[in-house]
Amino acid sequence: MTAPRILVDADACPVKDEIYKVAWRYAVPVAIVANQRIRIPDHPPLACPPTPAKAGAELQCSW
């Protein structure tokens, strides 16, 4: 069984702050995907997966 991970579409998610709090509490990694730059807390379990600079919406939605 693989470890749990939270995937967040940060453009459309109204509860990002709550997700960050739960992730910190339970040490669950979070992958944040957005089609623009967003601010995320500086905490090791939170990450924005790298994507090519000219990726487009189709690649973002493939997560």
Side-chain angles (χ1 to χ4, degrees):
M1 185 169 164
T2 61
R5 180 173 72 158
I6 301 171
L7 302 175
V8 179
D9 178 359
D11 294 318
C13 183
V15 292
K16 290 187 289 283
D17 292 332
E18 289 79 2
I19 291 172
Y20 302 152
K21 290 176 186 177
V22 171
W24 292 334
R25 185 176 302 142
Y26 294 102
V28 175
V30 177
I32 302 159
V33 180
N35 65 359
Q36 60 187 359
R37 286 194 171 272
I38 61 165
R39 294 178 61 133
I40 61 170
D42 186 26
H43 199 267
L46 302 176
C48 288
T51 57
K54 298 182 180 185
E58 294 79 23
L59 180 62
Q60 297 295 339
C61 292
S62 69
W63 282 91

Short mmCIF file of all heavy atoms in Angstrom, two decimals:
data_model
loop_
_atom_site.label_atom_id
_atom_site.label_comp_id
_atom_site.label_asym_id
_atom_site.label_seq_id
_atom_site.Cartn_x
_atom_site.Cartn_y
_atom_site.Cartn_z
N MET A 1 0.84 -1.18 0.00
CA MET A 1 0.00 0.00 0.00
C MET A 1 0.88 1.24 0.00
O MET A 1 1.84 1.33 0.76
CB MET A 1 -0.90 -0.01 1.24
CG MET A 1 -1.89 1.08 1.27
SD MET A 1 -3.03 0.71 2.61
CE MET A 1 -3.79 2.26 2.79
N THR A 2 0.58 2.18 -0.86
CA THR A 2 1.38 3.40 -0.92
C THR A 2 0.89 4.41 0.11
O THR A 2 -0.26 4.38 0.55
CB THR A 2 1.29 4.04 -2.33
OG1 THR A 2 -0.07 4.36 -2.58
CG2 THR A 2 1.80 3.09 -3.39
N ALA A 3 1.78 5.31 0.47
CA ALA A 3 1.44 6.34 1.45
C ALA A 3 0.45 7.33 0.84
O ALA A 3 0.49 7.60 -0.36
CB ALA A 3 2.71 7.07 1.87
N PRO A 4 -0.45 7.87 1.65
CA PRO A 4 -1.41 8.83 1.11
C PRO A 4 -0.74 10.14 0.71
O PRO A 4 0.30 10.51 1.26
CB PRO A 4 -2.39 9.06 2.28
CG PRO A 4 -1.63 8.68 3.49
CD PRO A 4 -0.64 7.63 3.07
N ARG A 5 -1.35 10.81 -0.25
CA ARG A 5 -0.88 12.11 -0.72
C ARG A 5 -2.09 12.91 -1.15
O ARG A 5 -3.02 12.37 -1.73
CB ARG A 5 0.08 11.92 -1.89
CG ARG A 5 0.63 13.21 -2.44
CD ARG A 5 1.69 12.97 -3.45
NE ARG A 5 1.10 12.44 -4.67
CZ ARG A 5 1.67 12.52 -5.85
NH1 ARG A 5 2.86 13.06 -5.98
NH2 ARG A 5 1.08 12.03 -6.91
N ILE A 6 -2.09 14.18 -0.87
CA ILE A 6 -3.21 15.05 -1.24
C ILE A 6 -2.82 15.83 -2.48
O ILE A 6 -1.77 16.46 -2.52
CB ILE A 6 -3.55 16.03 -0.10
CG1 ILE A 6 -3.91 15.26 1.17
CG2 ILE A 6 -4.68 16.95 -0.51
CD1 ILE A 6 -4.05 16.14 2.40
N LEU A 7 -3.66 15.77 -3.51
CA LEU A 7 -3.47 16.55 -4.73
C LEU A 7 -4.49 17.68 -4.74
O LEU A 7 -5.68 17.44 -4.57
CB LEU A 7 -3.67 15.67 -5.96
CG LEU A 7 -2.76 14.45 -6.07
CD1 LEU A 7 -3.16 13.60 -7.26
CD2 LEU A 7 -1.33 14.87 -6.17
N VAL A 8 -4.02 18.91 -4.93
CA VAL A 8 -4.90 20.07 -4.86
C VAL A 8 -4.85 20.86 -6.16
O VAL A 8 -3.77 21.23 -6.62
CB VAL A 8 -4.48 21.00 -3.69
CG1 VAL A 8 -5.37 22.22 -3.64
CG2 VAL A 8 -4.50 20.25 -2.38
N ASP A 9 -6.02 21.09 -6.75
CA ASP A 9 -6.15 22.02 -7.87
C ASP A 9 -6.31 23.40 -7.22
O ASP A 9 -7.41 23.81 -6.86
CB ASP A 9 -7.36 21.67 -8.72
CG ASP A 9 -7.57 22.64 -9.87
OD1 ASP A 9 -6.79 23.61 -9.99
OD2 ASP A 9 -8.53 22.45 -10.63
N ALA A 10 -5.21 24.09 -7.05
CA ALA A 10 -5.19 25.32 -6.25
C ALA A 10 -5.96 26.46 -6.89
O ALA A 10 -6.35 27.40 -6.21
CB ALA A 10 -3.76 25.74 -5.98
N ASP A 11 -6.20 26.41 -8.19
CA ASP A 11 -6.97 27.46 -8.84
C ASP A 11 -8.43 27.44 -8.38
O ASP A 11 -9.07 28.48 -8.29
CB ASP A 11 -6.95 27.30 -10.36
CG ASP A 11 -5.56 27.50 -10.92
OD1 ASP A 11 -4.87 28.42 -10.46
OD2 ASP A 11 -5.17 26.73 -11.81
N ALA A 12 -8.97 26.27 -8.12
CA ALA A 12 -10.39 26.14 -7.83
C ALA A 12 -10.70 25.74 -6.39
O ALA A 12 -11.86 25.55 -6.05
CB ALA A 12 -10.99 25.10 -8.77
N CYS A 13 -9.72 25.61 -5.55
CA CYS A 13 -9.94 25.10 -4.20
C CYS A 13 -10.14 26.24 -3.19
O CYS A 13 -9.22 27.01 -2.92
CB CYS A 13 -8.76 24.25 -3.78
SG CYS A 13 -9.00 23.52 -2.17
N PRO A 14 -11.33 26.34 -2.59
CA PRO A 14 -11.57 27.41 -1.62
C PRO A 14 -11.09 27.08 -0.21
O PRO A 14 -11.14 27.92 0.67
CB PRO A 14 -13.10 27.54 -1.64
CG PRO A 14 -13.58 26.18 -1.97
CD PRO A 14 -12.54 25.61 -2.90
N VAL A 15 -10.61 25.86 0.03
CA VAL A 15 -10.21 25.45 1.38
C VAL A 15 -8.73 25.06 1.46
O VAL A 15 -8.36 24.16 2.20
CB VAL A 15 -11.11 24.30 1.89
CG1 VAL A 15 -12.53 24.76 2.12
CG2 VAL A 15 -11.08 23.12 0.93
N LYS A 16 -7.89 25.77 0.73
CA LYS A 16 -6.45 25.45 0.73
C LYS A 16 -5.85 25.55 2.13
O LYS A 16 -5.08 24.68 2.53
CB LYS A 16 -5.70 26.37 -0.23
CG LYS A 16 -5.98 26.09 -1.69
CD LYS A 16 -5.09 26.91 -2.59
CE LYS A 16 -5.42 28.36 -2.62
NZ LYS A 16 -6.57 28.75 -3.39
N ASP A 17 -6.19 26.58 2.88
CA ASP A 17 -5.61 26.75 4.22
C ASP A 17 -5.95 25.57 5.13
O ASP A 17 -5.11 25.11 5.89
CB ASP A 17 -6.09 28.05 4.86
CG ASP A 17 -5.53 29.27 4.17
OD1 ASP A 17 -4.43 29.16 3.58
OD2 ASP A 17 -6.19 30.33 4.20
N GLU A 18 -7.18 25.07 5.05
CA GLU A 18 -7.57 23.92 5.85
C GLU A 18 -6.80 22.67 5.43
O GLU A 18 -6.40 21.87 6.26
CB GLU A 18 -9.07 23.68 5.75
CG GLU A 18 -9.91 24.72 6.45
CD GLU A 18 -10.10 26.02 5.67
OE1 GLU A 18 -9.60 26.14 4.52
OE2 GLU A 18 -10.75 26.92 6.21
N ILE A 19 -6.58 22.52 4.13
CA ILE A 19 -5.80 21.38 3.64
C ILE A 19 -4.38 21.43 4.19
O ILE A 19 -3.83 20.42 4.63
CB ILE A 19 -5.80 21.34 2.10
CG1 ILE A 19 -7.20 21.00 1.59
CG2 ILE A 19 -4.78 20.34 1.57
CD1 ILE A 19 -7.36 21.13 0.10
N TYR A 20 -3.76 22.62 4.16
CA TYR A 20 -2.40 22.76 4.69
C TYR A 20 -2.34 22.37 6.16
O TYR A 20 -1.43 21.66 6.59
CB TYR A 20 -1.90 24.20 4.53
CG TYR A 20 -1.88 24.72 3.11
CD1 TYR A 20 -2.03 26.07 2.87
CD2 TYR A 20 -1.73 23.89 2.02
CE1 TYR A 20 -2.00 26.58 1.57
CE2 TYR A 20 -1.72 24.37 0.72
CZ TYR A 20 -1.85 25.72 0.51
OH TYR A 20 -1.84 26.22 -0.76
N LYS A 21 -3.31 22.82 6.96
CA LYS A 21 -3.32 22.51 8.39
C LYS A 21 -3.43 21.01 8.65
O LYS A 21 -2.72 20.46 9.49
CB LYS A 21 -4.47 23.24 9.08
CG LYS A 21 -4.27 24.72 9.17
CD LYS A 21 -5.49 25.39 9.78
CE LYS A 21 -5.35 26.90 9.74
NZ LYS A 21 -6.55 27.57 10.26
N VAL A 22 -4.32 20.36 7.92
CA VAL A 22 -4.49 18.90 8.10
C VAL A 22 -3.23 18.17 7.65
O VAL A 22 -2.79 17.22 8.30
CB VAL A 22 -5.74 18.41 7.33
CG1 VAL A 22 -5.80 16.90 7.30
CG2 VAL A 22 -6.99 18.99 7.95
N ALA A 23 -2.64 18.61 6.55
CA ALA A 23 -1.41 17.97 6.06
C ALA A 23 -0.29 18.09 7.08
O ALA A 23 0.45 17.13 7.32
CB ALA A 23 -0.99 18.60 4.74
N TRP A 24 -0.13 19.26 7.69
CA TRP A 24 0.90 19.42 8.72
C TRP A 24 0.63 18.53 9.91
O TRP A 24 1.52 17.90 10.45
CB TRP A 24 0.97 20.87 9.19
CG TRP A 24 1.47 21.82 8.16
CD1 TRP A 24 2.30 21.54 7.10
CD2 TRP A 24 1.18 23.21 8.07
NE1 TRP A 24 2.53 22.66 6.37
CE2 TRP A 24 1.86 23.71 6.94
CE3 TRP A 24 0.42 24.08 8.83
CZ2 TRP A 24 1.80 25.04 6.57
CZ3 TRP A 24 0.36 25.41 8.45
CH2 TRP A 24 1.05 25.88 7.34
N ARG A 25 -0.64 18.49 10.35
CA ARG A 25 -1.00 17.72 11.54
C ARG A 25 -0.71 16.24 11.35
O ARG A 25 -0.21 15.57 12.26
CB ARG A 25 -2.48 17.93 11.85
CG ARG A 25 -2.92 17.27 13.13
CD ARG A 25 -4.36 17.57 13.48
NE ARG A 25 -4.53 19.01 13.60
CZ ARG A 25 -5.62 19.67 13.19
NH1 ARG A 25 -6.62 19.01 12.64
NH2 ARG A 25 -5.72 20.96 13.34
N TYR A 26 -1.01 15.70 10.18
CA TYR A 26 -0.85 14.27 9.94
C TYR A 26 0.37 13.91 9.09
O TYR A 26 0.53 12.75 8.72
CB TYR A 26 -2.12 13.71 9.31
CG TYR A 26 -3.30 13.78 10.25
CD1 TYR A 26 -4.26 14.77 10.11
CD2 TYR A 26 -3.42 12.89 11.30
CE1 TYR A 26 -5.34 14.85 10.98
CE2 TYR A 26 -4.48 12.95 12.19
CZ TYR A 26 -5.44 13.94 12.02
OH TYR A 26 -6.50 14.02 12.89
N ALA A 27 1.20 14.90 8.78
CA ALA A 27 2.43 14.70 7.99
C ALA A 27 2.15 14.00 6.66
O ALA A 27 2.82 13.06 6.26
CB ALA A 27 3.46 13.91 8.79
N VAL A 28 1.12 14.48 5.97
CA VAL A 28 0.75 13.95 4.67
C VAL A 28 1.26 14.91 3.60
O VAL A 28 0.99 16.11 3.67
CB VAL A 28 -0.79 13.79 4.54
CG1 VAL A 28 -1.18 13.35 3.15
CG2 VAL A 28 -1.31 12.83 5.59
N PRO A 29 2.02 14.44 2.62
CA PRO A 29 2.51 15.34 1.57
C PRO A 29 1.37 15.87 0.70
O PRO A 29 0.39 15.18 0.44
CB PRO A 29 3.46 14.47 0.74
CG PRO A 29 3.41 13.11 1.30
CD PRO A 29 2.51 13.09 2.48
N VAL A 30 1.53 17.12 0.27
CA VAL A 30 0.53 17.78 -0.57
C VAL A 30 1.20 18.25 -1.85
O VAL A 30 2.24 18.90 -1.81
CB VAL A 30 -0.07 19.00 0.17
CG1 VAL A 30 -1.06 19.73 -0.73
CG2 VAL A 30 -0.73 18.58 1.46
N ALA A 31 0.61 17.90 -2.99
CA ALA A 31 1.06 18.40 -4.28
C ALA A 31 0.06 19.44 -4.75
O ALA A 31 -1.13 19.16 -4.85
CB ALA A 31 1.18 17.27 -5.29
N ILE A 32 0.54 20.64 -5.00
CA ILE A 32 -0.32 21.76 -5.38
C ILE A 32 -0.11 22.07 -6.85
O ILE A 32 1.02 22.31 -7.28
CB ILE A 32 0.00 22.99 -4.51
CG1 ILE A 32 -0.20 22.61 -3.05
CG2 ILE A 32 -0.85 24.18 -4.92
CD1 ILE A 32 0.52 23.50 -2.10
N VAL A 33 -1.20 22.08 -7.61
CA VAL A 33 -1.13 22.34 -9.04
C VAL A 33 -1.96 23.58 -9.35
O VAL A 33 -3.09 23.70 -8.89
CB VAL A 33 -1.66 21.13 -9.84
CG1 VAL A 33 -1.59 21.40 -11.33
CG2 VAL A 33 -0.88 19.88 -9.48
N ALA A 34 -1.38 24.50 -10.11
CA ALA A 34 -2.10 25.71 -10.50
C ALA A 34 -1.57 26.18 -11.85
O ALA A 34 -0.44 25.87 -12.22
CB ALA A 34 -1.90 26.80 -9.46
N ASN A 35 -2.38 26.94 -12.58
CA ASN A 35 -1.92 27.43 -13.87
C ASN A 35 -1.33 28.84 -13.76
O ASN A 35 -1.09 29.49 -14.77
CB ASN A 35 -3.04 27.38 -14.91
CG ASN A 35 -4.17 28.31 -14.59
OD1 ASN A 35 -4.17 28.99 -13.57
ND2 ASN A 35 -5.16 28.33 -15.44
N GLN A 36 -1.13 29.30 -12.53
CA GLN A 36 -0.47 30.58 -12.28
C GLN A 36 0.29 30.48 -10.96
O GLN A 36 0.09 29.53 -10.21
CB GLN A 36 -1.49 31.71 -12.21
CG GLN A 36 -2.50 31.52 -11.11
CD GLN A 36 -3.60 32.55 -11.16
OE1 GLN A 36 -3.59 33.42 -12.01
NE2 GLN A 36 -4.55 32.47 -10.25
N ARG A 37 1.15 31.42 -10.70
CA ARG A 37 1.89 31.40 -9.45
C ARG A 37 0.96 31.70 -8.28
O ARG A 37 0.14 32.60 -8.36
CB ARG A 37 3.00 32.43 -9.45
CG ARG A 37 4.16 32.05 -10.31
CD ARG A 37 5.33 32.97 -9.97
NE ARG A 37 6.53 32.50 -10.62
CZ ARG A 37 7.36 31.61 -10.09
NH1 ARG A 37 7.11 31.08 -8.93
NH2 ARG A 37 8.43 31.23 -10.74
N ILE A 38 1.08 30.88 -7.23
CA ILE A 38 0.32 31.14 -6.02
C ILE A 38 1.27 31.05 -4.84
O ILE A 38 2.33 30.42 -4.92
CB ILE A 38 -0.84 30.14 -5.83
CG1 ILE A 38 -0.31 28.71 -5.73
CG2 ILE A 38 -1.86 30.26 -6.93
CD1 ILE A 38 -1.33 27.74 -5.20
N ARG A 39 0.89 31.68 -3.75
CA ARG A 39 1.72 31.61 -2.54
C ARG A 39 1.32 30.38 -1.73
O ARG A 39 0.14 30.13 -1.52
CB ARG A 39 1.51 32.86 -1.71
CG ARG A 39 2.00 34.10 -2.39
CD ARG A 39 1.72 35.30 -1.54
NE ARG A 39 2.44 35.14 -0.28
CZ ARG A 39 3.18 36.08 0.28
NH1 ARG A 39 3.28 37.25 -0.29
NH2 ARG A 39 3.80 35.86 1.42
N ILE A 40 2.33 29.62 -1.33
CA ILE A 40 2.08 28.49 -0.45
C ILE A 40 2.98 28.64 0.77
O ILE A 40 4.05 29.24 0.69
CB ILE A 40 2.34 27.13 -1.15
CG1 ILE A 40 3.78 27.00 -1.60
CG2 ILE A 40 1.38 26.93 -2.30
CD1 ILE A 40 4.13 25.61 -2.08
N PRO A 41 2.56 28.09 1.90
CA PRO A 41 3.41 28.16 3.09
C PRO A 41 4.72 27.42 2.87
O PRO A 41 4.78 26.43 2.13
CB PRO A 41 2.57 27.47 4.16
CG PRO A 41 1.17 27.52 3.66
CD PRO A 41 1.27 27.49 2.17
N ASP A 42 5.77 27.90 3.49
CA ASP A 42 7.09 27.26 3.37
C ASP A 42 7.16 26.11 4.37
O ASP A 42 7.50 26.29 5.53
CB ASP A 42 8.19 28.29 3.64
CG ASP A 42 9.56 27.71 3.40
OD1 ASP A 42 9.68 26.77 2.60
OD2 ASP A 42 10.52 28.21 4.02
N HIS A 43 6.79 24.94 3.90
CA HIS A 43 6.76 23.76 4.76
C HIS A 43 7.10 22.55 3.91
O HIS A 43 6.56 22.41 2.80
CB HIS A 43 5.36 23.62 5.38
CG HIS A 43 5.33 22.75 6.58
ND1 HIS A 43 5.07 21.42 6.51
CD2 HIS A 43 5.54 23.03 7.88
CE1 HIS A 43 5.11 20.90 7.73
NE2 HIS A 43 5.39 21.86 8.57
N PRO A 44 7.98 21.67 4.37
CA PRO A 44 8.45 20.55 3.53
C PRO A 44 7.39 19.66 2.90
O PRO A 44 7.55 19.26 1.75
CB PRO A 44 9.33 19.75 4.49
CG PRO A 44 9.78 20.73 5.50
CD PRO A 44 8.65 21.72 5.66
N PRO A 45 6.27 19.31 3.58
CA PRO A 45 5.32 18.43 2.90
C PRO A 45 4.58 19.08 1.74
O PRO A 45 3.95 18.39 0.95
CB PRO A 45 4.32 18.04 3.98
CG PRO A 45 4.97 18.35 5.26
CD PRO A 45 5.93 19.46 4.99
N LEU A 46 4.64 20.40 1.62
CA LEU A 46 3.93 21.10 0.53
C LEU A 46 4.86 21.29 -0.64
O LEU A 46 5.99 21.73 -0.48
CB LEU A 46 3.42 22.46 1.01
CG LEU A 46 2.49 22.44 2.20
CD1 LEU A 46 2.14 23.86 2.61
CD2 LEU A 46 1.23 21.66 1.90
N ALA A 47 4.39 20.97 -1.83
CA ALA A 47 5.24 21.10 -3.01
C ALA A 47 4.41 21.40 -4.24
O ALA A 47 3.28 20.97 -4.37
CB ALA A 47 6.03 19.81 -3.23
N CYS A 48 5.02 22.13 -5.14
CA CYS A 48 4.44 22.34 -6.46
C CYS A 48 5.24 21.48 -7.41
O CYS A 48 6.43 21.71 -7.61
CB CYS A 48 4.54 23.80 -6.88
SG CYS A 48 3.44 24.87 -5.99
N PRO A 49 4.63 20.45 -8.01
CA PRO A 49 5.38 19.60 -8.91
C PRO A 49 5.89 20.40 -10.10
O PRO A 49 5.18 21.26 -10.61
CB PRO A 49 4.38 18.54 -9.35
CG PRO A 49 3.08 18.91 -8.77
CD PRO A 49 3.25 20.07 -7.86
N PRO A 50 7.13 20.17 -10.52
CA PRO A 50 7.66 20.92 -11.66
C PRO A 50 6.94 20.55 -12.95
O PRO A 50 6.62 19.40 -13.19
CB PRO A 50 9.12 20.50 -11.71
CG PRO A 50 9.16 19.17 -11.03
CD PRO A 50 8.06 19.19 -10.00
N THR A 51 6.66 21.57 -13.76
CA THR A 51 6.05 21.35 -15.07
C THR A 51 6.80 22.20 -16.08
O THR A 51 7.37 23.23 -15.73
CB THR A 51 4.56 21.74 -15.08
OG1 THR A 51 4.45 23.10 -14.67
CG2 THR A 51 3.75 20.87 -14.15
N PRO A 52 6.81 21.80 -17.33
CA PRO A 52 7.47 22.62 -18.35
C PRO A 52 6.85 24.01 -18.43
O PRO A 52 5.66 24.19 -18.19
CB PRO A 52 7.23 21.84 -19.64
CG PRO A 52 6.89 20.46 -19.21
CD PRO A 52 6.27 20.57 -17.86
N ALA A 53 7.64 25.00 -18.77
CA ALA A 53 7.19 26.39 -18.80
C ALA A 53 6.04 26.61 -19.78
O ALA A 53 5.16 27.42 -19.54
CB ALA A 53 8.35 27.31 -19.13
N LYS A 54 6.03 25.89 -20.89
CA LYS A 54 4.99 26.08 -21.90
C LYS A 54 4.00 24.92 -21.88
O LYS A 54 3.54 24.48 -22.91
CB LYS A 54 5.63 26.22 -23.28
CG LYS A 54 6.54 27.42 -23.37
CD LYS A 54 7.11 27.55 -24.75
CE LYS A 54 8.03 28.77 -24.80
NZ LYS A 54 8.53 29.05 -26.11
N ALA A 55 3.65 24.44 -20.70
CA ALA A 55 2.84 23.24 -20.58
C ALA A 55 1.39 23.43 -21.04
O ALA A 55 0.88 22.63 -21.78
CB ALA A 55 2.86 22.75 -19.13
N GLY A 56 0.72 24.45 -20.57
CA GLY A 56 -0.68 24.64 -20.92
C GLY A 56 -1.61 23.92 -19.97
O GLY A 56 -1.20 23.14 -19.11
N ALA A 57 -2.89 24.20 -20.12
CA ALA A 57 -3.90 23.67 -19.20
C ALA A 57 -4.03 22.16 -19.28
O ALA A 57 -4.35 21.52 -18.29
CB ALA A 57 -5.24 24.34 -19.49
N GLU A 58 -3.81 21.57 -20.44
CA GLU A 58 -3.99 20.13 -20.58
C GLU A 58 -3.04 19.36 -19.67
O GLU A 58 -3.42 18.38 -19.05
CB GLU A 58 -3.77 19.68 -22.03
CG GLU A 58 -4.81 20.20 -22.99
CD GLU A 58 -4.57 21.64 -23.40
OE1 GLU A 58 -3.42 22.11 -23.32
OE2 GLU A 58 -5.54 22.31 -23.77
N LEU A 59 -1.79 19.81 -19.56
CA LEU A 59 -0.84 19.12 -18.69
C LEU A 59 -1.21 19.32 -17.24
O LEU A 59 -1.13 18.40 -16.45
CB LEU A 59 0.58 19.62 -18.95
CG LEU A 59 1.67 18.97 -18.11
CD1 LEU A 59 1.73 17.48 -18.39
CD2 LEU A 59 3.02 19.60 -18.38
N GLN A 60 -1.63 20.51 -16.86
CA GLN A 60 -2.02 20.77 -15.47
C GLN A 60 -3.16 19.87 -15.05
O GLN A 60 -3.18 19.38 -13.94
CB GLN A 60 -2.40 22.24 -15.29
CG GLN A 60 -1.27 23.21 -15.54
CD GLN A 60 -0.13 23.09 -14.55
OE1 GLN A 60 -0.31 22.56 -13.46
NE2 GLN A 60 1.03 23.54 -14.93
N CYS A 61 -4.11 19.66 -15.94
CA CYS A 61 -5.28 18.84 -15.60
C CYS A 61 -4.97 17.36 -15.60
O CYS A 61 -5.78 16.57 -15.13
CB CYS A 61 -6.42 19.14 -16.55
SG CYS A 61 -7.08 20.80 -16.33
N SER A 62 -3.83 16.94 -16.09
CA SER A 62 -3.51 15.51 -16.14
C SER A 62 -3.07 14.97 -14.79
O SER A 62 -2.91 13.79 -14.64
CB SER A 62 -2.42 15.26 -17.18
OG SER A 62 -1.18 15.81 -16.76
N TRP A 63 -2.88 15.83 -13.81
CA TRP A 63 -2.51 15.35 -12.48
C TRP A 63 -3.70 14.71 -11.85
O TRP A 63 -3.75 14.01 -10.99
CB TRP A 63 -2.01 16.52 -11.62
CG TRP A 63 -0.62 16.87 -11.98
CD1 TRP A 63 -0.24 17.80 -12.91
CD2 TRP A 63 0.58 16.33 -11.47
NE1 TRP A 63 1.10 17.85 -13.00
CE2 TRP A 63 1.65 16.97 -12.13
CE3 TRP A 63 0.86 15.37 -10.53
CZ2 TRP A 63 2.97 16.67 -11.86
CZ3 TRP A 63 2.19 15.08 -10.27
CH2 TRP A 63 3.22 15.72 -10.93
#
